């Protein structure tokens, strides 16, 4: 099928670009640079070893210093244990089986630790993520084969636009007091759908609440196990907890991003460890370890009798290991069979523990942030798909510009919204923003259909405070600075914190530090964020509220919200170049993070040449929310 041949080509382009970028980064980086980039743990200590699956050994490793540096080590990632005495020669690869805080377990592709591991100076390198690309490629190839088969290909034909989805008109209407009318419509569309339902959830509209109620309703309708997935661990964690809150038997496959006792208790690993049958497994593992240790004592200079004894010990250890594998598989299957909901990332849905499982319904949350090849992994495991997300917010990150331009930038969610509007329900009532903050986004992205719930529509920081402000820096001489690909605006950064300081001083009359409003200062430009963070450090008046103020990129705030949001648009140049700002979906994210006050700071002379910003400035003027930065300038 041409559709999948094309996707495979695009995926190959993306993989090559990603691998090339990774290789360049690794080759030119020192161990300190790799550590700072979150790609290396060094130094590390081995805390424990145990038998893994088959003949492999699983090693528990702890990062002993530099523990506050963020890192990219995740469950399922490939990594290499190395000795810094000779890092090119002394290294052995494996797969991360568990990661929490500064500890992880890695299953090495060997049956015993190498001798060099006892000499210290150990580290762990993250390897290029071949596994995810293999899983996505295999899913596309399977979809290509299955597409031509009458039964297996039915859902594929619908998702690729060859057929139309159907709905069961006799499905009983589901009623819930917890849902508003459009959320109710979404649940009923999901229940009636034979193959496809789509929940379009703009910011603050309760998409997660709707999905969880839909999952409950599906289980009441037909008590068949449901697969719930998302591209990010954070989204999977949220759905896992919310399903558990509703009393559902949920099993989380893989590691949660946020380590909490509650979440860890819901993981498959934790449930397996707590199973009654694991007592016997521990005994058998101890026995097999002892036999292998005895066998390893026969290292050199032994005769025929010793060789036979060594072989007998290894044979017995292998027999026990096979028995362990069978018992663990039985325990795993028992737990999974009893689960109502299985949750995992898109790639994690094909983890060896659940690889062969099939479901009537698979839910893909954050589907508008997932590249299409990853979505086919859960799709192939189900007869019916529920896609949830918002294609008017940030798209997935794609490394290859060529792949993005040639079609990889279009998500399965976006395609299905266009192909099958009859499957889509837009959630129309939002519970986050003051209606003035919401209004421009509703007009541009959601056909004016978004409405503010009465509990938030007129919510303010204090009586008389304007919820929206556009501060125009035109004519103030706040010109952007360009260094290579880095763009910043030092004067604007200073102005942001001058303005924020004035606001905080005013708010201190209404709030105590303990209940002070939460504040985000965001910008699309990393270099500007760096300046803003430095400016924050040099504004001692704000340090009393340090725990209430976050400074970061717009992208890092998708899915989050704050009482007050400042956006530093940064661009100011005579040629009206706006670059990154032309991605208006990013601005939709930025402008919809604020609950009670949104302050946008930018140069109208530069921005006004672009319709989205010109219209926003007009919107601000209409709501008496336009001010010149000159009004705040101090002689």
């Amino acid at each position: 099928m041409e559709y999948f041949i094309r996707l495979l080509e695009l995926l190959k382009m993306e993989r090559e670009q990603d691998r090339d970028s990774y290789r360049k980064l690794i080759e030119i980086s020192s161990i300190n640079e790799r550590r700072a980039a979150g790609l290396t743990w060094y130094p590390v200590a081995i805390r424990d070893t145990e038998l893994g699956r088959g003949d492999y050994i699983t090693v528990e490793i702890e990062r002993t210093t530099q523990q506050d540096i963020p890192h990219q080590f995740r469950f399922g990632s490939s990594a290499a244990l190395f000795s810094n005495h000779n890092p090119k020669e002394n290294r052995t690869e494996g797969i991360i089986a568990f990661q929490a805080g500064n500890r992880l377990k890695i299953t090495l592709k060997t049956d015993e630790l190498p001798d060099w591991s006892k000499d210290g100076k150990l580290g762990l390198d993250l390897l290029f993520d071949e596994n995810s690309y293999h899983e996505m490629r295999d899913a596309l190839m399977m979809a290509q084969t299955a597409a031509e088969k009458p039964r297996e290909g039915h859902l594929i034909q619908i998702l690729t636009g060859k057929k139309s989805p159907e709905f069961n008109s006799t499905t009983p209407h589901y009623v819930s007091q917890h849902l508003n009318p459009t959320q109710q419509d979404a649940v009923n569309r999901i229940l009636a759908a034979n193959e496809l339902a789509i929940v379009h959830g703009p910011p603050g509209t309760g998409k997660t609440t709707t999905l969880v109620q839909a999952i409950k309703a599906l289980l009441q309708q037909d008590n068949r196990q449901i697969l719930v997935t998302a591209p990010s661990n954070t989204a999977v964690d949220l759905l896992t907890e919310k399903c558990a809150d509703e009393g559902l038997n949920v099993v989380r496959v893989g590691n949660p991003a946020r380590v909490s006792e509650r979440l860890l208790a819901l993981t498959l690993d934790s449930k397996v460890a707590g199973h009654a049958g694991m007592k016997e497994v521990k005994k058998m593992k101890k026995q097999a370890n002892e036999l292998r240790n005895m066998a390893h004592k026969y290292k050199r200079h032994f005769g025929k009798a010793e060789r036979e004894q060594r072989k007998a010990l290894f044979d017995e250890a292998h027999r026990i290991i096979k028995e362990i594998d069978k018992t663990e598989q039985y325990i795993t299957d028992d737990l999974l069979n009893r689960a109502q909901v299985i949750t995992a990332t898109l790639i994690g849905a094909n983890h060896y523990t659940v690889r062969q499982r099939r479901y009537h319904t698979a839910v893909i949350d954050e589907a508008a942030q997932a590249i299409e090849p990853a979505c086919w992994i859960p799709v192939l495991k189900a007869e019916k798909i529920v896609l949830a997300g918002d294609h008017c917010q940030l798209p997935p990150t794609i490394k290859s510009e060529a792949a993005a331009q040639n079609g990889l930038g279009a998500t399965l969610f976006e395609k299905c919204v266009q192909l099958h509007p009859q499957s889509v329900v837009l959630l129309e009532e939002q519970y986050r923003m003051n209606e003035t903050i919401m209004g421009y986004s509703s007009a541009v992205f959601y056909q004016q259909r978004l409405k503010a719930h009465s509990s938030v529509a007129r919510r303010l920081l204090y009586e008389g405070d304007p919820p929206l402000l556009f501060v125009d820096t035109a004519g103030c001489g706040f010109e952007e600075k360009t260094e290579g690909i880095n763009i910043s605006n030092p004067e604007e950064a200073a102005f942001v914190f001058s303005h924020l300081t004035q606001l905080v001083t005013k708010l201190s009359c209404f709030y105590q530090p303990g209940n002070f409003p939460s504040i985000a200062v965001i910008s699309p430009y990393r270099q500007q964020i760096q300046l803003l963070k430095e400016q924050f450090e040099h504004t001692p008046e704000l340090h009393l509220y340090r725990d209430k103020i976050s400074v970061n990129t717009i992208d890092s705030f998708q899915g989050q919200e704050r009482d007050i949001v400042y956006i530093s648009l940064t661009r100011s140049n005579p040629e009206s170049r706006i670059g990154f700002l032309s991605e208006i979906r990013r601005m939709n994210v930025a402008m919809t993070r604020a609950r009670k006050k949104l302050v946008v700071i930018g140069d109208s002379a530069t921005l006004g040449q672009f319709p989205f910003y010109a219209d926003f400035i007009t919107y601000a003027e209409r709501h008496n929310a336009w001010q010149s930065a000159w009004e705040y300038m101090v002689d």
Side-chain angles (χ1 to χ4, degrees):
M1 190 176 177
E2 183 63 36
Y3 185 94
F4 293 105
I5 293 169
R6 183 77 187 123
L7 268 179
L8 282 161
E9 287 170 0
L10 295 171
L11 183 65
K12 186 180 178 187
M13 289 164 68
E14 173 70 358
R15 178 186 184 179
E16 286 172 357
Q17 176 65 51
D18 196 6
R19 188 196 280 147
D20 191 46
S21 302
Y22 190 86
R23 189 182 293 122
K24 283 177 184 170
L25 178 64
I26 292 298
E27 284 173 0
I28 63 170
S29 301
S30 68
I31 193 166
N32 287 337
E33 288 168 331
R34 295 201 311 275
R35 181 168 61 188
L39 302 173
T40 296
W41 280 11
Y42 182 82
V44 300
I46 293 173
R47 296 304 185 206
D48 198 9
T49 61
E50 60 185 59
L51 289 171
R53 285 177 62 81
D55 289 343
Y56 294 155
I57 189 169
T58 297
V59 183
E60 185 176 339
I61 286 170
E62 183 178 17
R63 177 165 60 161
T64 53
T65 65
Q66 314 282 330
Q67 294 184 337
D68 56 336
I69 298 175
H71 63 85
Q72 299 176 43
F73 288 84
R74 299 288 181 267
F75 169 82
S77 301
S78 298
L81 180 69
F82 67 88
S83 162
N84 210 30
H85 291 294
N86 186 357
K88 287 192 176 173
E89 296 293 326
N90 294 345
R91 62 196 293 115
T92 181
E93 296 183 3
I95 303 291
I96 295 171
F98 173 83
Q99 187 275 312
N102 288 296
R103 288 199 177 213
L104 59 76
K105 290 182 180 180
I106 179 168
T107 301
L108 299 172
K109 296 173 183 175
T110 178
D111 64 349
E112 62 177 319
L113 278 170
D115 290 338
W116 51 257
S117 67
K118 300 175 182 70
D119 299 332
K121 295 188 82 170
L122 297 179
L124 199 68
D125 272 337
L126 192 65
L127 301 178
F128 178 69
D129 185 13
E130 291 283 3
N131 179 57
S132 293
Y133 284 103
H134 285 319
E135 295 288 7
M136 289 188 280
R137 182 200 62 200
D138 291 351
L140 292 177
M141 291 169 75
M142 284 172 65
Q144 185 183 357
T145 304
E148 307 306 328
K149 297 177 181 175
R151 190 167 176 275
E152 295 94 321
H154 181 63
L155 180 58
I156 297 169
Q157 298 280 348
I158 287 167
L159 295 178
T160 54
K162 298 282 192 296
K163 291 182 180 175
S164 294
E166 295 180 352
F167 297 86
N168 185 346
S169 58
T170 63
T171 304
H173 200 70
Y174 181 78
V175 178
S176 170
Q177 295 177 337
H178 303 293
L179 302 177
N180 66 41
T182 53
Q183 291 173 333
Q184 194 99 36
D185 289 347
V187 173
N188 281 299
R189 191 73 52 93
I190 289 167
L191 291 174
N194 290 338
E195 306 93 357
L196 175 67
I198 301 170
V199 180
H200 182 184
T205 53
K207 172 172 60 71
T208 302
T209 299
T210 306
L211 281 183
V212 172
Q213 292 302 314
I215 290 163
K216 275 183 73 179
L218 283 165
L219 289 166
Q220 287 171 17
Q221 181 189 58
D222 178 2
N223 194 26
R224 284 191 277 185
Q225 194 171 71
I226 296 171
L227 174 65
V228 175
T229 63
S232 75
N233 276 299
T234 306
V236 176
D237 292 349
L238 180 61
L239 284 163
T240 302
E241 283 195 305
K242 297 294 184 187
C243 285
D245 287 345
E246 291 291 330
L248 301 178
N249 181 348
V250 56
V251 174
R252 165 76 154 99
V253 175
N255 275 159
R258 181 168 48 80
V259 180
S260 70
E261 281 186 35
R262 173 88 196 288
L263 261 175
L264 287 172
L266 298 171
T267 63
L268 180 58
D269 282 351
S270 174
K271 287 176 184 268
V272 166
H275 196 279
M278 284 305 288
K279 285 183 182 174
E280 188 57 35
V281 168
K282 281 180 184 171
K283 279 187 199 168
M284 289 194 288
K285 280 189 177 180
K286 187 179 176 187
Q287 192 181 353
N289 264 327
E290 286 168 355
L291 289 166
R292 278 158 52 121
N293 289 338
M294 286 165 66
H296 283 308
K297 284 177 184 173
Y298 295 101
K299 286 265 178 176
R300 298 180 185 87
H301 311 300
F302 52 83
K304 187 179 178 214
E306 286 88 350
R307 190 175 292 111
E308 286 175 356
Q309 178 64 18
R310 185 177 192 261
K311 183 178 182 302
L313 288 166
F314 271 131
D315 287 348
E316 179 60 12
H318 285 147
R319 185 193 67 75
I320 294 170
I321 289 165
K322 282 182 182 171
E323 198 61 37
I324 289 168
D325 282 351
K326 275 189 204 168
T327 309
E328 285 188 329
Q329 190 63 55
Y330 168 79
I331 290 168
T332 300
D333 289 344
D334 178 48
L335 287 164
L336 290 170
N337 288 340
R338 286 191 275 130
Q340 294 173 291
V341 179
I342 291 175
T343 64
T345 60
L346 299 172
I347 303 297
N350 222 26
H351 188 252
Y352 74 86
T353 51
V354 291
R355 187 180 293 271
Q356 304 305 323
R357 300 188 88 80
R358 294 294 175 267
Y359 312 85
H360 180 262
T361 303
V363 176
I364 304 177
D365 192 15
E366 285 190 346
Q369 284 181 265
I371 64 169
E372 183 176 347
C375 290
W376 285 98
I377 296 169
V379 165
L380 292 174
K381 298 176 180 294
E383 298 168 33
K384 169 171 160 176
I385 294 294
V386 178
L387 299 176
D390 181 11
H391 55 298
C392 301
Q393 294 188 64
L394 280 171
T397 301
I398 296 173
K399 309 279 172 57
S400 166
E401 203 172 307
Q405 288 175 350
N406 282 289
L408 196 61
T411 62
L412 184 64
F413 182 91
E414 205 170 345
K415 290 177 183 177
C416 287
V417 166
Q418 291 167 353
L419 287 168
H420 307 302
Q422 69 274 36
S423 292
V424 183
V425 174
L426 174 72
L427 303 181
E428 295 180 3
E429 193 165 30
Q430 65 84 17
Y431 299 82
R432 176 184 297 166
M433 295 163 273
N434 177 289
E435 60 188 1
T436 307
I437 297 172
M438 174 205 75
Y440 187 63
S441 179
S442 178
V444 175
F445 297 99
Y446 308 109
Q447 305 87 48
Q448 292 279 25
R449 291 171 63 188
L450 208 53
K451 302 290 181 280
H453 185 261
S454 58
S455 63
V456 301
R458 290 180 172 79
R459 189 167 59 175
L460 300 170
L461 287 169
Y462 58 87
E463 192 63 41
D465 181 60
L468 176 68
L469 203 56
F470 174 70
V471 184
D472 191 350
T473 64
C476 293
F478 294 0
E479 289 199 6
E480 66 186 58
K481 304 282 185 291
T482 306
E483 299 170 32
I485 59 168
N486 294 321
I487 294 171
S488 62
N489 192 321
E491 287 89 356
E492 184 172 292
F495 179 80
V496 166
F497 275 94
S498 169
H499 192 281
L500 177 57
T501 302
Q502 290 181 43
L503 175 62
V504 166
T505 302
K506 201 176 288 182
L507 290 176
S508 62
C509 301
F510 298 92
Y511 296 92
Q512 295 299 313
N515 72 336
F516 206 79
S518 57
I519 301 166
V521 179
I522 61 180
S523 171
Y525 294 97
R526 290 192 178 278
Q527 192 64 27
Q528 184 71 352
I529 291 300
Q530 196 56 43
L531 287 180
L532 288 163
K533 285 182 175 177
E534 288 170 12
Q535 198 68 45
F536 181 31
E537 291 305 318
H538 292 101
T539 314
E541 304 95 313
L542 297 178
H543 292 179
L544 178 62
Y545 308 101
R546 185 182 286 277
D547 63 329
K548 300 289 186 180
I549 302 173
S550 309
V551 183
N552 218 326
T553 60
I554 292 169
D555 296 36
S556 70
F557 273 94
Q558 178 144 319
Q560 297 189 48
E561 56 188 78
R562 297 290 190 275
D563 293 318
I564 304 162
V565 172
Y566 274 73
I567 306 174
S568 171
L569 293 176
T570 308
R571 301 309 299 258
S572 179
N573 57 75
E575 298 83 15
S576 296
R577 293 189 313 270
I578 64 166
F580 222 31
L581 297 184
S582 60
E583 172 52 279
I584 62 172
R585 289 181 294 182
R586 179 171 280 105
M587 294 316 300
N588 186 33
V589 171
M591 291 175 172
T592 55
R593 300 306 95 199
R595 298 185 193 110
K596 301 175 185 176
K597 191 177 187 76
L598 172 65
V599 182
V600 182
I601 297 174
D603 180 352
S604 65
T606 298
L607 300 165
Q609 306 305 309
F610 197 76
F612 175 83
Y613 295 99
D615 291 346
F616 173 68
I617 293 165
T618 302
Y619 177 84
E621 288 171 335
R622 200 165 66 241
H623 287 84
N624 297 315
W626 179 93
Q627 286 184 323
S628 170
W630 282 106
E631 295 177 37
Y632 297 89
M633 304 293 269
V634 179
D635 291 331

